[in-house]
Amino acid sequence: MGSKEIRSPETLPEKYPACVELSSRMKLGAHFMESDERRFSAIGGAYVAGGTTPVNIKGKPIEDLSKTGGWIAAFFIFGNEMAERMAYFGLSVNMVTFLFNVMHRPFYSSANAVNNFLGISQASSVLGGFIADAYLGRYWTIAIFTTIYLLGLTGITLLASVSVFVPNQAQCDQLSILLGACEQPKSWQMLYLYTVLYITAFGAAGIRPCVSSFGADQFDEKSKDYKAHLDRFFNFFYLSVTIGVIVAFTMVVYIQMRYGWGSAFGSLAIAMGFSNAIFFLGTPLYRHRLPGGSPLTRVAQVLVAAFYKRNASFSSSSRIGLYEVPGRKSAIKGSAKIEHTDDFRCLDKAALQIKEDGSDPSPWRLCTVTQVEEVKILVKLLPIPACTIMLSVVLTEFLTLSVQQAYTLNTHMGHLKLPVTCMPVFPGLSIFLILALYYSTFAPLLRRITGHPQGASQLQRVGLGLAVSILSVAWAGVFERYRRNYAIKHGYELIFLTPMSDLSAYWLLIQYCLIGIAEVFSIVGLLEFLYQEAPDAMRSVGSAYAAVAGGLGCFVASILNNIVRAITGNEAQGKPSWLSQNINVGKFDYFYFLLTVLSFINFCIFLFFAKRYKYRARNAIIEEEVS
């Protein structure tokens, strides 16, 4: 931090603070032009800022970029996330039933264990993103955590395959399970189960925030087609995720029903092992980004320095200027310099150099402009993924509530009876269809409406997805009211597990397809938005924002369910809650309408923040600052 600082002219009179500020910004802008790490190219009327030079696995610059990266390298990476999503949803759809039927645990306990698994596997993504950006880089983080994931799946397969790990199944029929009369698992058996389950959840921490970013790293930011490649990459990436979901809800369910639990969980472990082998096979082709050191430390330094200088004045005579290292490169490894913005001016005090700082300032007292701008960007990004938490709540509720609806409906498709646990596959199928048709149908249609070269901007796609999710949950409420009234009218009120032969479960496809459309536009748009807008040395942490929002959605859904049950029901008085186990006496439609209202409020909040957000690519161009 002892490099030469950028000084504003000391000869200007103090009565001209605006001139001092303008001159300082001009010099600061000129200083950024020294960096050859930053490139600007006109794309669709905007400007895109390039990142840092990619390196090989040894950290050395790649001499011939044409032999590395691109779509070939990206496809080696796709399989890893596909297998992780397959395992994630394969466990989510099967583990509750396994805990209930095989481990003889109460249903609420089984559901809580799986909800914790889902939440931890997503919320822990912050840890994986931090490790990747700070120390290991994305490749080694994926390599280590995907191995941990495989170990966890192997442990779960062993649990389901070897009888010593489960309680005695003799003389334990379905009625005995419902009455809780079966042998309970030993404490060490439950300890082993939770250990391998949460090892698997922890393994996801390093995969989810890094795979999409590492795949996007394979494309050249200086290419004129970079924006188009990146847009297509995230669509193909989520397509691979969707394939994993479809396989989990079809093939894995079929294997479990035909060959048993050990084979079902074993298929997940085999898929993960195969994807790991493919990922390592592509190692010579990958482009890497250098880790930039601890992002949490840099954030803390900015906050401490800004607090220390909270009383300093920008127009004071002791002010020297905003601090930035000279030369071509940023002080942060793996990051290009970021030009100064006027947002969150209070944080600028961390980069405000005063005479008391001396010639060799402490990084806890003086930070570079780039370091301050990193923190500003992280703060500005937060509201966008936060607004997708509600979408995750709706998705989580659909995974459970719509399955309960399906149990009361006719799931026959001609002569084929579809298992109820396969019903959640339809959102995945709708996502697959939409992604397959996106560039031939949706993108041209949206391009005519918006005039955007990619059909819609990233935030427009997120907003469109949130709007469609409102329609999805509103339709779910309308159909549930019809279904419940039909059940009561035809004498099914108390026999809620008996399918109504004259009412098809395929009416649920409308809400499934709508939520699939919502997920495509919101999640894909969000992933691309976070990757492009996050600071160069914090892209894994930025991508983790999306996973954390998903994890928080799982926890919020559980909290919301508990609140609704507590407020709307009273077991002592025999009053069923909206979410009664007997769906025909409950009020699922009221709950869906509550979700509709909450989703609409969330959408309005999103519009507020999205309209005020300024893309990094649309910040003032350096040439304009110094002209």
Side-chain angles (χ1 to χ4, degrees):
M1 300 292 292
S3 303
K4 180 180 179 182
E5 70 276 3
I6 302 167
R7 301 175 179 270
S8 57
E10 299 179 1
T11 56
L12 289 174
E14 290 184 26
K15 64 179 180 179
Y16 298 113
C19 295
V20 175
E21 179 68 18
L22 176 61
S23 178
S24 178
R25 285 178 60 84
M26 290 169 61
K27 284 185 173 292
L28 194 60
H31 205 56
F32 280 115
M33 289 187 67
E34 294 178 10
S35 174
D36 66 355
E37 300 291 343
R38 204 154 189 79
R39 297 288 186 268
F40 294 90
S41 57
I43 299 179
Y47 288 82
V48 175
T52 57
T53 304
V55 297
N56 59 25
I57 196 171
K58 297 180 180 179
K60 305 296 183 182
I62 299 174
E63 296 182 0
D64 187 357
L65 289 178
S66 64
K67 295 181 179 179
T68 62
W71 284 106
I72 296 177
F75 279 113
F76 277 97
I77 299 169
F78 281 144
N80 203 263
E81 181 65 8
M82 186 190 303
E84 191 276 325
R85 294 280 84 185
M86 176 181 165
Y88 176 83
F89 283 100
L91 290 174
S92 70
V93 75
N94 285 303
M95 187 54 71
V96 173
T97 307
F98 176 80
L99 288 169
F100 184 71
N101 289 331
V102 180
M103 301 303 292
H104 308 152
R105 301 301 298 154
F107 184 80
Y108 72 88
S109 175
S110 303
N112 286 340
V114 174
N115 282 339
N116 290 338
F117 162 77
L118 299 178
I120 291 172
S121 66
Q122 297 196 73
S124 60
S125 297
V126 171
L127 174 64
F130 168 77
I131 292 174
D133 285 341
Y135 304 112
L136 298 181
R138 288 185 264 278
Y139 173 85
W140 288 111
T141 303
I142 296 171
I144 292 171
F145 280 86
T146 198
T147 304
I148 295 173
Y149 205 111
L150 178 59
L151 290 175
L153 289 175
T154 303
I156 292 174
T157 303
L158 188 64
L159 166 73
S161 303
V162 181
S163 60
V164 70
F165 290 108
V166 298
N168 192 346
Q169 306 297 312
Q171 299 180 343
C172 187
D173 55 20
Q174 194 66 33
L175 180 61
S176 300
I177 294 174
L178 289 172
L179 296 175
C182 295
E183 179 182 306
Q184 292 298 298
K186 299 178 177 63
S187 57
W188 71 266
Q189 291 173 330
M190 290 305 300
L191 176 63
Y192 176 80
L193 184 149
Y194 286 129
T195 299
V196 294
L197 187 62
Y198 293 135
I199 284 175
T200 307
F202 181 69
I207 300 175
R208 198 161 303 162
C210 296
V211 172
S212 60
S213 297
F214 188 53
D217 287 344
Q218 306 311 309
F219 298 95
D220 186 3
E221 291 181 330
K222 301 173 185 177
S223 168
K224 64 179 181 179
D225 297 324
Y226 173 69
K227 183 75 173 175
H229 285 317
L230 203 63
D231 182 62
R232 288 181 179 269
F233 165 78
F234 281 104
N235 277 279
F236 280 120
F237 172 79
Y238 211 70
L239 186 64
S240 70
V241 169
T242 305
I243 292 173
V245 173
I246 293 172
V247 172
F249 285 131
T250 53
M251 291 299 296
V252 177
V253 172
Y254 171 78
I255 292 171
Q256 186 276 314
M257 296 176 64
R258 183 72 182 270
Y259 300 104
W261 294 106
S263 297
F265 294 139
S267 67
L268 301 178
I270 291 172
M272 179 58 70
F274 184 69
S275 72
N276 288 359
I278 293 177
F279 175 77
F280 290 122
L281 190 64
T283 298
L285 299 174
Y286 299 145
R287 298 173 183 176
H288 304 259
R289 305 283 181 179
L290 293 173
S294 171
L296 295 183
T297 301
R298 296 201 300 276
V299 171
Q301 287 173 342
V302 170
L303 297 179
V304 169
F307 179 79
Y308 177 75
K309 295 180 179 176
R310 64 190 182 279
N311 295 323
S313 172
F314 286 105
S315 60
S316 171
S317 59
S318 63
R319 169 184 178 271
I320 297 177
L322 294 178
Y323 181 85
E324 181 59 81
V325 294
R328 296 179 174 182
K329 297 183 178 181
S330 162
I332 302 167
K333 186 186 296 184
S335 175
K337 289 181 178 179
I338 306 175
E339 65 268 25
H340 175 259
T341 64
D342 290 329
D343 301 314
F344 305 108
R345 292 300 304 273
C346 59
L347 293 178
D348 282 341
K349 292 187 176 182
L352 182 63
Q353 189 167 20
I354 57 179
K355 294 177 181 178
E356 287 79 0
D357 288 325
S359 60
D360 189 18
S362 165
W364 293 92
R365 292 290 181 266
L366 182 64
C367 305
T368 64
V369 168
T370 295
Q371 188 175 342
V372 172
E373 292 300 321
E374 278 189 330
V375 180
K376 290 183 182 181
I377 290 170
L378 290 181
V379 174
K380 288 190 292 184
L381 288 179
L382 269 176
I384 304 302
C387 287
T388 65
I389 292 176
M390 194 61 217
L391 174 63
S392 178
V393 171
V394 173
L395 288 167
T396 302
E397 298 292 4
F398 272 3
L399 280 176
T400 54
L401 301 185
S402 61
V403 170
Q404 279 187 266
Q405 289 176 295
Y407 271 113
T408 71
L409 301 170
N410 182 3
T411 60
H412 281 85
M413 183 181 290
H415 296 291
L416 175 65
K417 185 180 188 300
L418 191 69
V420 170
T421 50
C422 286
M423 291 301 292
V425 74
F426 288 104
L429 291 174
S430 65
I431 292 172
F432 183 88
L433 181 63
I434 293 163
L435 288 173
L437 297 176
Y438 182 80
Y439 289 104
S440 61
T441 304
F442 289 97
L445 179 62
L446 291 173
R447 193 178 297 121
R448 290 182 180 181
I449 298 173
T450 65
H452 194 278
Q454 273 71 50
S457 69
Q458 296 142 7
L459 289 181
Q460 285 173 337
R461 279 180 278 164
V462 174
L464 178 59
L466 294 180
V468 174
S469 73
I470 299 173
L471 298 177
S472 173
V473 75
W475 164 258
V478 171
F479 175 72
E480 172 54 22
R481 174 161 293 188
Y482 175 81
R483 188 211 62 77
R484 182 166 54 84
N485 291 337
Y486 185 95
I488 294 172
K489 181 179 179 181
H490 291 82
Y492 287 92
E493 184 173 4
L494 299 179
I495 47 177
F496 62 96
L497 291 180
T498 302
M500 296 178 285
S501 58
D502 294 332
L503 191 57
S504 174
Y506 296 100
W507 281 103
L508 297 173
L509 292 186
I510 296 176
Q511 65 200 55
Y512 280 148
C513 290
L514 286 173
I515 199 63
I517 294 172
E519 193 173 358
V520 166
F521 284 103
S522 281
I523 304 303
V524 176
L526 180 64
L527 288 173
E528 184 179 343
F529 169 77
L530 292 173
Y531 179 81
Q532 285 203 276
E533 295 298 301
D536 295 330
M538 293 186 180
R539 278 176 167 168
S540 297
V541 172
S543 296
Y545 274 11
V548 171
L552 290 177
C554 295
F555 293 130
V556 170
S558 296
I559 294 171
L560 184 60
N561 289 347
N562 292 335
I563 292 174
V564 168
R565 285 192 179 98
I567 293 177
T568 63
N570 191 321
E571 293 184 4
Q573 299 178 2
K575 178 185 177 183
S577 74
W578 289 0
L579 300 177
S580 171
Q581 186 167 329
N582 182 346
I583 187 175
N584 292 335
V585 300
K587 296 289 191 296
F588 277 33
D589 52 336
Y590 289 3
F591 186 70
Y592 279 134
F593 291 140
L594 173 63
L595 291 177
T596 303
V597 173
L598 294 176
S599 297
F600 179 76
I601 294 172
N602 176 75
F603 178 68
C604 293
I605 295 172
F606 169 80
L607 290 180
F608 174 83
F609 285 107
K611 284 189 174 183
R612 284 157 179 76
Y613 186 85
K614 294 181 180 179
Y615 286 93
R616 284 183 63 191
R618 294 183 181 179
N619 287 341
I621 305 305
I622 289 174
E623 288 86 345
E624 294 177 358
E625 288 188 354
V626 297
S627 61

